[in-house]
Amino acid sequence: MPLGIDRSHFYEEKVKHIEKSNRVKDERIGSLETENAMLYLKLAQLRGALQHTRQESIEIHEQFEDESRFRKSVAESACKFKQELDNIKKDMQSVQSAAKEIPKQFNEQVQHANSVVQRHKMAFQSQSSSLSELQERLAHMELTLHDVTDRHAKEKKRRQELHNTLMELRGNIRVHCRVRPLMDFDRGQEDMSSFGRQGAKSEVVVHFVDDENVCVRTTKHNKVFEYERVYDMTETQNGLFDEVQPMLTSLLDGYNICIMAYGQTGSGKTHTMLGSHKNEDYNPTRETHPDEGVIPRAARELFRLTSEKQKGTHTVEVSVVEIYNNDIRDLLSHDPNIKHDINTGQDNSISLPTIISKQVDTVYDVMCLVQHGLHTRRESATMVHEHSSRSHLVVTLTVVSPAPSFFSKNSAPGDKPTAKTLQPTPRDSKGRSSSLSSSGSMPSGSMWQSNDISTNSAGQAVIKTKLQLVDLAGSECVGMSGVKGQALRETANINKSLSALADVLGALAEHRAHVPYRNTRLTHLLQDSIGGDAKLLILLCVAPAQRYITESLQSLGFGARARQVQRGQTKRRLPSSAEKVSMDTPKNSRSISVTGPPPFSQR
């Protein structure tokens, strides 16, 4: 452009033109943005419609597939039904053909059955006589079997009676054996999982065989012991006493009775004699308890027997003593520590004149006194038994009954029987008294012991018989029980007294001239019972576990030796002096003898 030209006007026009052009562009941009927004909105709508269309397409496709599957299953079912229908048609055809054959087969079967019936009918008719004969033979055999069974039962009972009679005539000691169940303390330190298993210390090795035999299984061989009666682990207290009860009837017939429990510590002696409770819980009851032992049951039976006699003619006295460390202590005394001495009479009868005897009228009275004695009885815990008795317990029930009429008939105070007027008379098969002879003399058939007879306050002759119930302390191994100090001394005295008891039985079995009764207070006190002055029953109590096998064999061996003792016939009570009972022998009567056989130690 030439110099000097005014350019301002030109720029203004150009600026306006540019501004106008910009405004046009801005408007165009605004319209384009609006149009773009409309297009985005429409695009979103189209996308939504497309998504809806796709969803509808998927649903339609799924419906189509479902319809296809349904049609396919319908086709398969139709094909299957068609096959089944074809099979049914075939079965119907076979059934129709079989139905056509049924009448023919039925006729054939009926004909065959008729022929079989005819054949069996002929066979039955031919064998009817044989069947009748067989029926008669069967009935005869049943009668024979019943007769043999009855005869067997009678012979078994008769054999037992003869055996008991033989035992009485010989004076043998009756021995019963009781095997107690396995107890928790038998396992000692063993784990509970091995309790009672083979090879464990608690394994059962003492087995009940039958009513008369018990077997001990050792590592080398089995040993079988035979006794008058064997009780298994399930035997109840009542079942055991049923076997003991018959002995008590002899008490009122004038015989002394002794029942003692023997066995190792923890074998069930106190349970057998007293019951299953602990000493502090021997609560006396007026009613029968299923767990009560021999002592309360024997007392109850004794009072039952006396109740059948004339009222007021029989009285019962009880004494309770223990032999502790070879000393005799009266458990009914105010001072049970006082020692008592044994008194031996001129006829070798044994008595304890310084002990307390109390009259009782009921079982409840007896058990109250026994419980009082048990509270002071010595016992302590050992590794074998928690309540181990440390002394021998002797409960004595003395029955005072009137003497037979021939002792007081035609008698006067101060009369004295002499050897010249007393001659022996024969005995019956059972060793008991028979009826009075026509001359009024003493009954024949009895062996009377001339002691324990006195007069009552009215001057009438009375007979004293005693029932001794003995709960021996248990023998024990010092190593197993773990006792020390005073308990060790107690164990030594217990084992010594039980060993002395075995020595006495051995001397009696071998018929030695001297029987060592006086080696211990136990054997000295029981001299009357062991030596033949009483009917003696030993109840062996045995623990079944392997850990006690040595003590069990010792106890069973003790019982076997005791059965070998033959003491002669048991003797009945008879007046001991003319100052107590007067006897006048009629001139026309037979002479009788009141002198029994000498004591066993003098034979």
Side-chain angles (χ1 to χ4, degrees), residues 248-284:
L248 300 179
T249 58
S250 301
L251 193 64
L252 300 186
D253 293 337
Y255 292 96
N256 284 339
I257 306 294
C258 179
I259 302 173
M260 68 171 66
Y262 181 95
Q264 70 178 84
T265 182
S267 59
K269 300 182 300 300
T270 303
H271 169 81
T272 299
M273 296 302 293
L274 288 166
S276 61
H277 306 295
K278 297 178 181 179
N279 283 4
E280 61 268 25
D281 297 327
Y282 282 110
N283 299 317

Side-chain angles (χ1 to χ4, degrees), residues 88-156:
I88 290 173
K89 288 180 179 180
K90 292 180 180 179
D91 293 339
M92 287 294 295
Q93 291 176 358
S94 61
V95 168
Q96 288 176 355
S97 60
K100 292 178 181 179
E101 294 293 331
I102 286 177
K104 182 179 179 182
Q105 294 178 357
F106 179 76
N107 292 331
E108 293 177 354
Q109 293 291 336
V110 169
Q111 293 176 359
H112 178 70
N114 289 333
S115 62
V116 172
V117 168
Q118 291 294 331
R119 187 167 61 252
H120 282 287
K121 185 176 180 180
M122 295 175 63
F124 176 76
Q125 291 175 353
S126 64
Q127 296 179 359
S128 58
S129 58
S130 300
L131 180 61
S132 300
E133 183 180 353
L134 289 175
Q135 289 177 344
E136 292 177 357
R137 291 177 60 186
L138 179 61
H140 178 69
M141 291 179 65
E142 289 178 349
L143 292 175
T144 304
L145 178 61
H146 186 268
D147 182 59
V148 170
T149 303
D150 290 343
R151 288 172 57 190
H152 172 71
K154 293 178 181 178
E155 289 296 329
K156 183 178 180 180

Side-chain angles (χ1 to χ4, degrees), residues 19 51 122 179 210 270 293 317 416 423 484 528 540 559 575:
E19 290 178 349
Q51 183 68 24
M122 295 175 63
V179 183
D210 54 36
T270 303
E317 298 176 353
K416 182 182 297 185
Q423 299 295 331
K484 298 178 181 179
D528 283 350
L540 294 180

Side-chain angles (χ1 to χ4, degrees), residues 427 447-449 567-569 571 595-600 602-603:
R427 298 187 296 268
M447 295 185 65
W448 295 82
Q449 177 70 13
R567 307 171 298 170
Q569 188 175 5
K571 297 173 285 293
T595 57
F600 199 101
Q602 298 178 5
R603 297 178 192 174

Side-chain angles (χ1 to χ4, degrees), residues 270 273-275 279-280 282-284 294-296 299 318-321 331-332 358 360 362-377 393-397 469 471:
T270 303
M273 296 302 293
L274 288 166
N279 283 4
E280 61 268 25
Y282 282 110
N283 299 317
V294 171
I295 293 177
V318 64
S319 64
V320 184
V321 301
L331 298 183
L332 299 183
K358 296 189 178 182
V360 289
T362 63
V363 181
Y364 182 77
D365 297 338
V366 174
M367 293 312 297
C368 284
L369 294 175
V370 172
Q371 183 196 35
H372 175 76
L374 291 175
H375 283 312
T376 54
R377 186 188 184 187
L393 177 69
V394 182
V395 178
T396 304
L397 297 172
L469 302 166
D471 178 20

Side-chain angles (χ1 to χ4, degrees), residues 298-573:
R300 183 171 287 106
E301 175 64 12
L302 176 58
F303 284 110
R304 186 191 69 80
L305 293 173
T306 56
S307 66
E308 297 175 353
K309 305 295 181 180
Q310 185 177 355
K311 186 176 182 182
T313 58
H314 293 73
T315 59
V316 180
E317 298 176 353
V318 64
S319 64
V320 184
V321 301
E322 71 170 351
I323 302 175
Y324 175 70
N325 284 342
N326 205 32
D327 292 326
I328 298 177
R329 303 173 187 266
D330 185 3
L331 298 183
L332 299 183
S333 173
H334 296 293
D335 185 4
N337 293 321
I338 297 177
K339 301 176 184 179
H340 298 267
D341 294 325
I342 299 174
N343 182 33
T344 303
Q346 294 180 354
D347 51 5
N348 290 329
S349 61
I350 302 300
S351 62
L352 293 171
T354 58
I355 66 170
I356 296 176
S357 294
K358 296 189 178 182
Q359 184 172 336
V360 289
D361 299 317
T362 63
V363 181
Y364 182 77
D365 297 338
V366 174
M367 293 312 297
C368 284
L369 294 175
V370 172
Q371 183 196 35
H372 175 76
L374 291 175
H375 283 312
T376 54
R377 186 188 184 187
R378 305 306 199 283
E379 71 168 29
S380 62
T382 67
M383 294 174 61
V384 177
H385 190 216
E386 183 180 0
H387 296 274
S388 177
S389 301
R390 315 309 294 170
S391 65
H392 307 295
L393 177 69
V394 182
V395 178
T396 304
L397 297 172
T398 303
V399 181
V400 182
S401 56
S405 59
F406 51 79
F407 285 131
S408 57
K409 184 178 180 181
N410 301 323
S411 62
D415 290 345
K416 182 182 297 185
T418 62
K420 294 181 180 179
T421 63
L422 304 177
Q423 299 295 331
T425 57
R427 298 187 296 268
D428 62 11
S429 60
K430 291 187 178 181
R432 294 188 178 183
S433 60
S434 59
S435 60
L436 285 170
S437 64
S438 59
S439 59
S441 61
M442 181 187 290
S444 62
S446 62
M447 295 185 65
W448 295 82
Q449 177 70 13
S450 57
N451 58 345
D452 289 343
I453 310 297
S454 61
T455 57
N456 58 17
S457 58
Q460 298 174 340
V462 293
I463 301 177
K464 289 186 178 181
T465 53
K466 58 185 178 181
L467 169 62
Q468 284 185 316
L469 302 166
V470 185
D471 178 20
L472 295 174
S475 60
E476 60 184 51
C477 175
V478 176
M480 182 178 295
S481 61
V483 293
K484 298 178 181 179
Q486 178 64 20
L488 181 60
R489 181 184 173 218
E490 295 169 350
T491 300
N493 280 285
I494 291 171
N495 291 339
K496 178 183 177 181
S497 60
L498 295 177
S499 177
L501 181 60
D503 292 340
V504 167
L505 292 177
L508 291 173
E510 297 173 6
H511 303 285
R512 299 177 194 167
H514 172 69
V515 181
Y517 289 114
R518 301 198 179 194
N519 282 0
T520 62
R521 294 295 179 90
L522 174 65
T523 53
H524 194 186
L525 179 62
L526 299 179
Q527 178 177 348
D528 283 350
S529 302
I530 302 173
D533 191 28
K535 293 186 177 182
L536 175 60
L537 170 63
I538 297 178
L539 293 172
L540 294 180
C541 297
V542 181
Q546 165 68 32
R547 66 187 303 221
Y548 309 119
I549 188 170
T550 302
E551 290 78 7
S552 297
L553 287 173
Q554 186 272 331
S555 299
L556 295 171
F558 173 87
R561 290 191 298 273
R563 293 186 72 226
Q564 299 173 2
V565 177
Q566 298 182 8
R567 307 171 298 170
Q569 188 175 5
T570 309
K571 297 173 285 293
R572 300 172 74 175
R573 308 290 90 199

